[in-house]
Amino acid sequence: MEDKRRTVRNLVAKLSSVSERTRNEALAELRLISRQDPESRPLIADAGAVPYLSETLYSSSPAIQENAAATLLNLSITSRDSLMSTRGLLDALSHALSNSASQGAVQSCAATLHSILIADESSRPIIGSKRDILYTLLSIIGDKHAPARSIKDALKALFGIALYQLNRASLVGLGAVPALVSLIVRDARKGIVEDATAVLAQIAGCEESEEAMRKAGGLKVLGDLLDEKTAASTRMRENAVAALLNLARCGGERGRKEVREMGVKVMDVITEVGENGSPKGKAKAVELLKYVVDGNEYENQVRELRFKFNSINDFIDHSI
């Protein structure tokens, strides 16, 4: 371990060298070590590498930016506190997200944000207050020419941001709902719709989302995902159920009425999610079905499906 610590200290010291070549070689070596040797990550952070890596994100060289961003991503796995305590880190990540010519750097910066957000609840309001980060992440998912990996990493970061409820209104204000709805409709690449619906479900958990969903046609898109005729995956359908449930919980009376009406149309698929989904998916489907059946003014339309609703309750009761 002492040999590793000595090697890391020497490499980090080289990051402040007057020689650009020396700095770049040390940076490339730190990227490699931090990827291959998990034990080295806290050593690199403790040696003071993070401020240098953060500053390097402003480099005009895409390759150098990419090495710095990838190293920060590796460090974020075990040394999140060192990253968040570094002054200017979030501004540097934002700069690279919006200005780097390297998609690798963009992806690593977005993935670094996700790594921090998922593990550290206290970081969510801090990162969510950085409107430039939110705006840039939304710009990435709205770019029709962005690589799938960049979009997925941006979606994962947005999901982490949306886990903090007070961030959701900010995302709605920046146009997250139409951006996500458009992405769900246009992009069939593997995993993207699943991640986009997961973010949309989180954002639906604020009252500001109701009008935005209405204007963007979001309710129809959610209904389409729950249509028996579509080939939506189980995860997409569970996310659509979660989004409808959040809209019902947080929306006004008009929004709740629209959710009920949509729920009647896709009752069979909601029931299927309640029977065959994940534990969380089952619970949310049951809650949504209760809401639709008990609150819907069109009782005749749902009476014939009550036996399915009751059987799901029995299923859930016995599975706990």
Side-chain angles (χ1 to χ4, degrees), residues 132 211 238:
D132 51 341
E211 185 62 25
E238 288 191 4

Side-chain angles (χ1 to χ4, degrees), residues 8 48 59 65 95 97 171 177 188 211 219 260 269 283 299:
V8 163
S59 170
Q65 278 187 323
H95 173 84
L97 277 171
L171 287 168
V177 172
E211 185 62 25
L219 200 65
R260 291 186 185 114
V269 175
E299 188 67 26

Side-chain angles (χ1 to χ4, degrees), residues 5-179:
R5 185 175 285 107
R6 188 179 303 109
T7 298
V8 163
R9 286 174 177 169
N10 289 336
L11 288 171
V12 172
K14 291 180 180 179
L15 293 178
S16 60
S17 171
V18 295
S19 167
E20 183 176 354
R21 180 178 178 179
T22 299
R23 294 197 305 271
N24 294 345
E25 289 176 349
L27 182 58
E29 185 66 21
L30 285 169
R31 176 182 182 179
L32 182 64
I33 292 174
S34 63
R35 183 180 73 232
Q36 296 181 341
D37 182 10
E39 289 184 350
S40 73
R41 294 166 188 160
L43 301 180
I44 293 171
D46 291 345
V50 177
Y52 290 108
L53 296 171
S54 176
E55 185 65 28
T56 304
L57 291 178
Y58 291 98
S59 170
S60 59
S61 167
I64 294 174
Q65 278 187 323
E66 186 169 337
N67 280 336
T71 306
L72 284 169
L73 172 57
N74 295 335
L75 297 185
S76 72
I77 299 171
T78 56
S79 303
R80 300 178 188 92
D81 289 344
S82 294
L83 270 66
M84 285 301 294
S85 64
T86 297
R87 184 175 182 179
L89 173 75
L90 295 180
D91 292 334
L93 290 171
S94 176
H95 173 84
L97 277 171
S98 58
N99 293 288
S100 180
S102 164
Q103 284 298 321
V106 170
Q107 292 157 9
S108 290
C109 287
T112 298
L113 289 170
H114 173 255
S115 177
I116 294 170
L117 286 158
I118 292 302
D120 181 9
E121 292 185 15
S122 66
S123 71
R124 295 170 189 168
I126 299 171
I127 294 174
S129 70
K130 298 285 186 178
R131 291 177 66 85
D132 51 341
I133 289 179
L134 274 57
Y135 178 81
T136 301
L137 292 171
L138 291 172
S139 296
I140 292 171
I141 70 169
D143 182 356
K144 296 178 181 180
H145 304 293
R149 170 84 181 275
S150 297
I151 293 175
K152 291 186 72 173
D153 284 331
L155 286 169
K156 290 181 185 299
L158 287 167
F159 179 82
I161 291 168
L163 287 174
Y164 182 64
Q165 187 167 2
L166 296 182
N167 288 339
R168 297 169 190 170
S170 297
L171 287 168
V172 171
L174 289 172
V177 172

Side-chain angles (χ1 to χ4, degrees), residues 124-320:
R124 295 170 189 168
I126 299 171
I127 294 174
S129 70
K130 298 285 186 178
R131 291 177 66 85
D132 51 341
I133 289 179
L134 274 57
Y135 178 81
T136 301
L137 292 171
L138 291 172
S139 296
I140 292 171
I141 70 169
D143 182 356
K144 296 178 181 180
H145 304 293
R149 170 84 181 275
S150 297
I151 293 175
K152 291 186 72 173
D153 284 331
L155 286 169
K156 290 181 185 299
L158 287 167
F159 179 82
I161 291 168
L163 287 174
Y164 182 64
Q165 187 167 2
L166 296 182
N167 288 339
R168 297 169 190 170
S170 297
L171 287 168
V172 171
L174 289 172
V177 172
L180 289 164
V181 170
S182 177
L183 181 61
I184 292 167
V185 170
R186 77 166 191 267
D187 204 318
R189 286 176 288 184
K190 184 177 180 180
I192 287 182
V193 176
E194 283 86 349
D195 289 343
T197 51
V199 180
L200 189 62
Q202 287 295 325
I203 293 176
C206 70
E207 63 182 56
E208 292 83 359
S209 69
E210 179 186 333
E211 185 62 25
M213 289 284 282
R214 186 175 295 119
K215 289 180 178 178
L219 200 65
K220 182 182 183 303
V221 170
L222 294 173
D224 288 343
L225 291 172
L226 293 171
D227 192 313
E228 289 179 304
K229 298 176 183 178
T230 61
S233 67
T234 299
R235 186 179 166 213
M236 291 181 204
R237 288 178 170 174
E238 288 191 4
N239 290 338
V241 166
L244 288 174
L245 181 58
N246 277 340
L247 284 170
R249 288 169 172 169
C250 301
E253 184 52 42
R254 180 182 173 187
R256 289 191 288 272
K257 182 175 183 291
E258 291 169 347
V259 170
R260 291 186 185 114
E261 291 173 349
M262 180 59 70
V264 170
K265 297 176 183 178
V266 294
M267 183 79 77
D268 285 347
V269 175
I270 299 174
T271 301
E272 182 182 343
V273 173
E275 292 172 339
N276 301 312
S278 67
K280 285 185 178 180
K282 290 174 184 177
K284 290 180 180 180
V286 168
E287 186 175 348
L288 180 59
L289 279 172
K290 285 182 178 179
Y291 179 83
V292 172
V293 172
D294 293 342
N296 203 287
E297 61 188 85
Y298 307 110
E299 188 67 26
N300 290 335
Q301 293 176 263
V302 301
R303 185 178 292 117
E304 63 186 67
L305 294 169
R306 280 186 180 275
F307 75 95
K308 291 184 178 180
F309 170 68
N310 291 331
S311 68
I312 293 175
N313 275 328
D314 293 339
F315 179 88
I316 295 298
D317 289 342
H318 290 130
S319 66
I320 293 176

